[in-house]
Amino acid sequence: MTTVSGIEPRSSGKTRTNLRRDRDPQRLLPRWLQFVTIAVLLLFLLPVVYMLLISVSPDLDAAAGKIWPSTFLFRNYLDVWSTVDLAKGLVNSLIASLSAAVIATFFGLGAAYCLTRFSFRGRAPFLSSLVGLQSIPGVMIILPLFVVFSSLGSALGIPIVGSRPALILTYLTFAIPFATWLLVTNLQQIPVAFEEAAMIDGLTRFGALRKIIFPLMIPGMVVTLVFSLLVGWNDVLFASVLTTPDTQTVAIQLSAFASTTEGGALPLYGQLMAASLISAAPVVILYMIFQRQLVGGLTAGGEKG
């Protein structure tokens, strides 16, 4: 008995060590595949690094094709604010994209709740149509949307084309189906028994949705909010038709800035790269802030119930 008791702790210790090694993420891939993955990631980061270098380079160095600047010109990040009305573009993009993302997330949550908690005729075709709507090119609906907004503006006597509400409504046509589909996959992982227990305790169905489902859906809603915001933030097509100089988004301003610099004697490469990095910074910061919720929401959607 003494010999057996002396051997068991060593065996269990080795077993725990082996389990920790087996669960080590670095051991899931062969070493050569790890090097290949790192090389591919570095390859994708090269354009970003090149943008950073050009943004602090003199325009002569960028025009000559020099990778490393002769002098670091950080003034490009200050001069670009006076060259381009970047602040107005960022505000317009933030208002249009964030408004559409918030509206799409809450409307998508309500639609996803009805689709997952109630059975009705046409439920399955409606779910399939959500995926089909994502495959429709934006070029096919931009003309009908423009005609509808123009006719509605003429009937009401209010200029709708060129306003922020028109842009928000346009983004919602893509964001709401996308948000609904994402939230359906997340809501299916939450057992119905949670709501039934809450309603037995006296809560209404809306109260169960607000106090039980809503807190559990926060990671999935963060994922939906971020990806719905990207629908409007990266848009160039609709914003180029449905905006005026006062409501232009930052993507349109960057496109116009790039086209105007091409006609000059020396393109403002440094300021153009600086403006591009500044316009990408809000989305990167958003990803960094909600990194944990993004990972939790994406993995929750892939679990089996």
Side-chain angles (χ1 to χ4, degrees):
M1 294 295 291
T2 305
T3 305
V4 174
S5 62
I7 293 175
E8 282 184 353
R10 296 180 183 176
S11 177
S12 60
K14 291 181 180 179
T15 303
R16 285 194 296 268
T17 303
N18 293 333
L19 286 175
R20 283 196 297 268
R21 289 178 178 176
D22 293 338
R23 294 176 181 176
D24 188 1
Q26 296 182 357
R27 293 179 175 270
L28 295 176
L29 296 176
R31 186 168 295 274
W32 66 270
L33 192 55
Q34 294 179 22
F35 286 117
V36 171
T37 305
I38 294 173
V40 172
L41 291 176
L42 292 176
L43 183 64
F44 282 116
L45 286 176
L46 284 178
V48 180
V49 175
Y50 186 68
M51 287 178 63
L52 285 170
L53 292 175
I54 296 299
S55 66
V56 294
S57 300
D59 296 328
L60 288 174
D61 292 352
K66 293 182 180 180
I67 298 178
W68 193 260
S70 57
T71 57
F72 288 93
L73 198 64
F74 294 99
R75 188 174 178 81
N76 289 331
Y77 285 91
L78 298 177
D79 294 340
V80 70
W81 295 96
S82 57
T83 306
V84 186
D85 197 358
L86 202 60
K88 182 184 290 185
L90 288 171
V91 170
N92 290 332
S93 292
L94 187 63
I95 292 175
S97 304
L98 188 59
S99 300
V102 171
I103 295 172
T105 300
F106 282 96
F107 272 82
L109 179 62
Y113 184 81
C114 295
L115 289 170
T116 55
R117 293 300 189 259
F118 300 101
S119 297
F120 52 88
R121 184 175 298 177
R123 176 177 172 273
F126 183 78
L127 282 171
S128 302
S129 67
L130 294 178
V131 182
L133 287 173
Q134 302 303 313
S135 61
I136 299 176
V139 181
M140 294 180 62
I141 68 171
I142 187 169
L143 182 59
L145 280 174
F146 183 82
V147 172
V148 169
F149 289 151
S150 299
S151 302
L152 188 61
S154 300
L156 298 177
I158 301 173
I160 296 179
V161 175
S163 62
R164 292 196 186 102
L167 202 58
I168 293 172
L169 289 174
T170 303
Y171 294 155
L172 286 175
T173 59
F174 293 96
I176 287 181
F178 179 71
T180 304
W181 182 258
L182 279 180
L183 292 172
V184 162
T185 58
N186 282 268
L187 195 56
Q188 287 175 343
Q189 315 305 319
I190 300 177
V192 185
F194 290 174
E195 301 161 64
E196 294 176 347
M199 288 188 287
I200 290 175
D201 291 338
L203 286 178
T204 61
R205 184 172 289 276
F206 181 76
L209 173 64
R210 182 171 59 89
K211 295 184 178 181
I212 305 298
I213 301 300
F214 184 80
L216 296 175
M217 286 292 295
I218 289 178
M221 292 178 68
V222 169
V223 174
T224 305
L225 180 69
V226 172
F227 282 100
S228 299
L229 185 141
L230 290 178
V231 172
W233 192 270
N234 297 330
D235 171 63
V236 177
L237 177 64
F238 295 103
S240 62
V241 177
L242 299 175
T243 58
T244 61
D246 292 332
T247 58
Q248 280 183 348
T249 61
V250 67
I252 301 303
Q253 288 189 343
L254 288 178
S255 178
F257 182 36
S259 61
T260 53
T261 54
E262 291 177 358
L266 183 63
L268 303 176
Y269 291 115
Q271 294 186 30
L272 181 59
M273 292 298 107
S276 301
L277 291 171
I278 291 172
S279 64
V283 179
V284 175
I285 294 172
L286 193 66
Y287 269 92
M288 294 175 64
I289 293 175
F290 296 109
Q291 181 181 6
R292 182 173 299 178
Q293 287 83 358
L294 285 169
V295 174
L298 289 173
T299 54
E303 293 176 356
K304 294 182 179 180

